[in-house]
Amino acid sequence: MSDSSTRLALAVLLGCGCAHSTQAASRPDQQFEVFQFPKDQIPRIDGSFADWNLVPERYAIGLDQLMDTERGRGIDLDPADFDLSVKVAWVEGLNRLYFYYDASDDDWDFARSGLKNDIFEVVVDGNLSGGSFINTVHPHKDAFKKSDLHFMGHGEHAQNYHVFTPSLRKEWAMVWGNAPWIKDFPHANAAQSYSFQHGEGGRYQLEFYITAFDHADLRGPAYSTESDFRENGLIGLSWCILEYDDEGNTFEAFMNLAHDTEMVRDASSLCLFKLMPIEPELQPAIQANWSVTNIGTDRRSFKFEDRSHGEIQSWHWDFGDGNSSNEPSPIHHYTRPGQWVVRLSVRGPAGEDSLEKIWDVVTP
């Protein structure tokens, strides 16, 4: 079966529109939060981790939220054996998730090649499409040869990152899917810090970011679609820790946030995470901001939208052509050619501010 016919068969079998339907989530009574970094304080992936001091501790997700769903220990996990704190963040305008993973283990296992390594496994479903995404549980796997399954939507609508903790003489992660390019820069980046040897205990720190994709195509980013992250939006996300405390081939623990082993292969079993606004103390009390969209077929009609921060009580738009408006988000039609300087001035209880944009608006 050719690549094109394989993709066509998959589209027919899965109905083409499932990526826009919201599926059930694990732990529906629990909604976690994703911290928003201001644009001028985006964390550097450099292994120093100081940027994460900006994130309040209420965003940290610890061992008490995990459950061992494979070894029968449930939620009764011993922090003296393994402990962790995970913070997740985003930046408005970037469809990325930033992670800070801070863990302590009494026995780190990472000397072997291949998959057998202490693992932090992260799964993200940026548009809550849900459904299976690993080839071994493909809903129509019996209709295709096993050798074709890898190319059958494997990891396209949700992504699973098999993160090695620590990574030694191997890449920082392995992707469960047919689009391994998503773990490469600029779509992802990682930096780690540790001082222990294989088999020793100690503290491990890791920071990384990944890009979420509604469709991650095996042909590369030009054929793929990033998830569209918006403030107060919900995404599907979960992680698990596979702990190998000996030289065997079986992990000692499978601790996961979703409380469901299926999270590693079915996006319907992920948790809900909310993309939070910037914390009030990290923002000015009032700040003017706006955007503009050309809506006229004659290229002279524009929709101006207020995007200011703070409690705004009045607006004044100067369109640069002698006309103005006091509406929050007006529509304005220019009657002649020009390169226009447009200014929005806002007022509120905290004071006033203005923002001018030069030649964002040009009319023929």
Side-chain angles (χ1 to χ4, degrees), residues 149-203:
L149 285 174
H150 176 77
F151 305 99
M152 299 295 297
H154 181 29
E156 288 186 348
H157 74 277
Q159 293 82 50
N160 180 318
Y161 295 80
H162 204 77
V163 182
F164 301 108
T165 56
S167 56
L168 176 67
R169 294 186 292 275
K170 64 179 70 172
E171 280 198 300
W172 72 279
M174 185 276 288
V175 169
W176 285 97
N178 58 30
W181 55 266
I182 65 174
K183 71 179 183 308
D184 299 329
F185 187 84
H187 315 293
N189 199 16
Q192 62 183 356
S193 177
Y194 66 96
S195 60
F196 48 80
Q197 302 296 318
H198 169 73
E200 295 180 346
R203 183 185 185 186

Side-chain angles (χ1 to χ4, degrees), residues 62 64 88 144 180 236 243 246 264 280 328 344:
D64 61 317
V88 190
F144 300 94
E243 191 182 13
D246 55 46
V264 300
L344 169 63

Side-chain angles (χ1 to χ4, degrees), residues 71-93:
R71 295 293 180 262
R73 293 193 296 172
I75 59 174
D76 187 22
L77 303 175
D78 184 2
D81 176 39
F82 179 88
D83 202 6
L84 87 162
S85 172
V86 181
K87 293 179 178 179
V88 190
W90 75 296
V91 178
E92 187 176 29

